[in-house]
Amino acid sequence: MRRFVEVAALMILGLFVGATEAQQDATPPSTVDRQSLDDAWWTGPMLAPSAATLPRGHLLIEPYLYDVNSAHSNGFGSLTYINYGLADRLTVGLIPTAGLNVVNDGPSSSGVGLGDLTVQSEYRLTKFQEGHWIPGTSAVVQETFPTGKYDRLGERPSDGLGSGAYTTTLAIYSQTYFWLPNGRILRTRFDASQAFSNNVDIEDVSVYGTSAGFRGHAKPGDSFLADSSWEYSLTRSWVLALDATYRHNWNTLVTGYNALAASSSTSASRFQLNSGSSEVLSFAPAIEYSWKSKLGILLGTRVIPAAHNTHASITPAVAINIVR
C-alpha cells in the first residue's frame, strides 16, 4: 500500500510538472494551426482507462476480443467495459469476462466459459481545462467477484478462467493534453492501482496448481500496477497509441493436504506451494480509427517479455468503442 501511494503521488506530480512546462510552450508558431480538442476523436489506448467520467445519463460500451499467445497455449478471451454516467462526476460500471484456452501439451477448455466479474465506481476529482496546468484526475474503486471456474476442474485444468477470490482494487487515474510544435495533440494518461484479494478455499484440480484430492486454501498475493499511455492525433479520425505498464505481483501461498493419501498425517499428504513474487513489464502499441466522435475501433498488441517469474507472451486485440 505504501508503494502504491508513493508511486501514484510521484506520477501525478510528474504529470503536473510536465503539464505546466507544456502549457508555457503551448502556443505553436503562427504558421502552424493549433488542433482543437473537438477535432481529435479518440477510442482510448489498449490498456490505460480514462480519468474522465461520463456525463450524467450517458453510456459507454467497449468490448475487447484478444488472444494471449504464449509458448504452449493460446488464451482466447473477451472483456467488455460497460460504464454509465450516474452523475457528471460519478461513473459506475461492469466488466464481464469470458474465455477459452487452447493448450498444446494437454486438454484444451471444454468450451467458452465465464471469467470473473468486476464492478467499479469512478469519481472525478479534477477536470482538464485547456490553458490550465491541472490534469483530469479520478479515484476508482473496483470489486472483482469470483464468478469464473477455478477449482474442481477434473481432467481439464484449462477450464479454469477465474481466481476464486474477491479482489478489491484502489486506483488513481490521470489524463492531460499537450500541443506539440506541429500543433497536433498528444494525450497522455498515468494510472496507478493496488489490488488486495481474500483467501480462497480449494478442492481438487485448480488454477493454483493443485491436483485431485487436494483440500486446502490459497492466499493470492497483492498486486501493484502502473500504466502510462500516449496517444498522438494524426488526423481527426486516426490516432497512434502506446501503453507502457509495470506490474508487481506478491507471493501466492497455497496450503492444504491430499485427501487421497493413505493418511493425512503423513508428510506426503501435506502440500505447500509458494509462487514467489513476479515482475511484469509490457508494451502495447495500437492504432485507433473513429468514424464518429462517439464510435471507433482499436487494433493493438500487448507484448510481455520474459522476466522474473513471468513467461513471454504476445496478445493481439481488437476493441469497439461506443458512447451514447
Side-chain angles (χ1 to χ4, degrees):
M1 185 62 181
R2 181 179 178 181
R3 177 181 292 191
F4 165 66
V5 173
E6 290 176 349
V7 174
L10 288 173
M11 293 173 70
I12 298 299
L13 177 60
L15 186 57
F16 282 12
V17 172
T20 301
E21 294 176 350
Q23 290 300 332
Q24 292 174 352
D25 299 324
T27 304
S30 58
T31 57
V32 177
D33 291 331
R34 179 185 171 103
Q35 183 183 16
S36 69
L37 288 174
D38 291 338
D39 188 55
W41 294 348
W42 319 88
T43 69
M46 184 172 172
L47 302 176
S50 175
T53 52
L54 292 169
R56 180 177 181 180
H58 285 250
L59 178 69
L60 177 145
I61 301 176
E62 188 173 19
Y64 275 77
L65 294 174
Y66 57 86
D67 171 20
V68 182
N69 190 339
S70 57
H72 303 289
S73 66
N74 288 81
F76 299 99
S78 73
L79 63 84
T80 303
Y81 293 94
I82 306 172
N83 292 332
Y84 177 74
L86 194 62
D88 287 342
R89 297 171 69 98
L90 179 63
T91 294
V92 296
L94 300 172
I95 309 175
T97 63
L100 170 70
N101 294 315
V102 177
V103 182
N104 295 341
D105 53 359
S108 299
S109 297
S110 56
V112 176
L114 294 178
D116 292 342
L117 172 69
T118 298
V119 299
Q120 67 176 14
S121 176
E122 179 175 358
Y123 182 77
R124 192 183 72 223
L125 302 173
T126 61
K127 183 178 181 180
F128 173 83
Q129 295 183 20
E130 188 174 347
H132 295 266
W133 63 271
I134 299 177
T137 59
S138 64
V140 180
V141 178
Q142 296 180 334
E143 185 67 23
T144 298
F145 296 88
T147 52
K149 195 172 182 179
Y150 72 97
D151 70 347
R152 289 177 287 181
L153 300 177
E155 297 180 355
R156 291 186 180 270
S158 55
D159 276 343
L161 297 172
S163 68
Y166 290 87
T167 301
T168 301
T169 302
L170 307 178
I172 297 175
Y173 297 165
S174 61
Q175 173 178 286
T176 195
Y177 300 80
F178 301 126
W179 277 262
L180 301 180
N182 63 357
R184 307 304 297 179
I185 295 175
L186 179 70
R187 186 171 77 170
T188 65
R189 292 176 178 175
F190 296 91
D191 301 339
S193 63
Q194 180 83 31
F196 312 88
S197 298
N198 72 327
N199 292 332
V200 181
D201 293 330
I202 302 174
E203 293 185 15
D204 298 321
V205 178
S206 75
V207 296
Y208 294 97
T210 58
S211 58
F214 179 81
R215 299 294 184 270
H217 311 277
K219 177 58 178 75
D222 297 340
S223 179
F224 170 79
L225 173 67
D227 188 342
S228 180
S229 73
W230 301 265
E231 295 171 279
Y232 175 67
S233 178
L234 282 171
T235 68
R236 182 172 67 173
S237 294
W238 289 96
V239 174
L240 297 179
L242 175 67
D243 283 277
T245 73
Y246 165 78
R247 181 188 295 273
H248 180 88
N249 300 311
W250 277 266
N251 177 64
T252 293
L253 173 63
V254 180
T255 58
Y257 65 94
N258 191 331
L260 299 180
S263 172
S264 62
S265 63
T266 64
S267 59
S269 69
R270 305 304 300 177
F271 183 91
Q272 179 170 312
L273 173 66
N274 288 283
S275 68
S277 62
S278 64
E279 312 283 339
V280 184
L281 295 173
S282 72
F283 303 92
I287 297 175
E288 307 170 23
Y289 178 78
S290 298
W291 295 277
K292 302 178 181 179
S293 62
K294 298 180 179 180
L295 177 62
I297 187 172
L298 175 140
L299 296 172
T301 300
R302 184 191 67 183
V303 179
I304 296 178
H308 175 60
N309 279 343
T310 299
H311 298 293
S313 67
I314 298 176
T315 305
V318 58
I320 299 291
N321 183 277
I322 305 168
V323 180
R324 302 192 64 176

